[in-house]
Amino acid sequence: YLLTPDIIPVIENLDVGAGGEIVLADAVHELAQQTPVYGKAIDGIYHDTGDKLRYVQAVVDMTLSHPEMGGEFREYLKNKDF
C-alpha cells in the first residue's frame, strides 16, 4: 500500500476486526466512501506479514534479493548447520 495521511482518521475510528486487529482493507474501503481511492496491480511476489512464519519468509526473501546483503546472506544460509 501507498497511503496518504487522510487514511489516519479513518483508521483511528475503525472498529477492531477479526483476531483483535485493525484491518487495513476495511480502512481503505471506508476511505473510498469519502474520496477517490486508486489501486494498481503490480507484478511480483506478495508477502503477507500478518503471521510470524510469513513475516520471516518475507524478511529472508527481501534479504536474499538485496544487492549489498544478498550474497553474504545466501552464503550464511548455505553454511548454516540445520
Side-chain angles (χ1 to χ4, degrees), residues 27-79:
V28 173
H29 176 76
E30 182 66 32
L31 182 62
Q33 308 309 307
Q34 305 166 21
T35 187
V37 172
Y38 302 94
K40 178 172 180 9
I42 58 171
D43 291 329
I45 299 171
Y46 172 78
H47 289 289
D48 180 352
T49 58
D51 69 61
K52 294 174 188 174
L53 176 60
R54 293 181 76 183
Y55 173 77
V56 171
Q57 290 169 337
V59 171
V60 168
D61 286 351
M62 295 305 296
T63 305
L64 287 171
S65 69
H66 192 277
E68 293 176 17
M69 294 185 289
E72 187 175 341
F73 187 63
R74 182 172 280 104
E75 286 303 311
Y76 166 78
L77 292 176
K78 284 180 187 177
N79 296 318

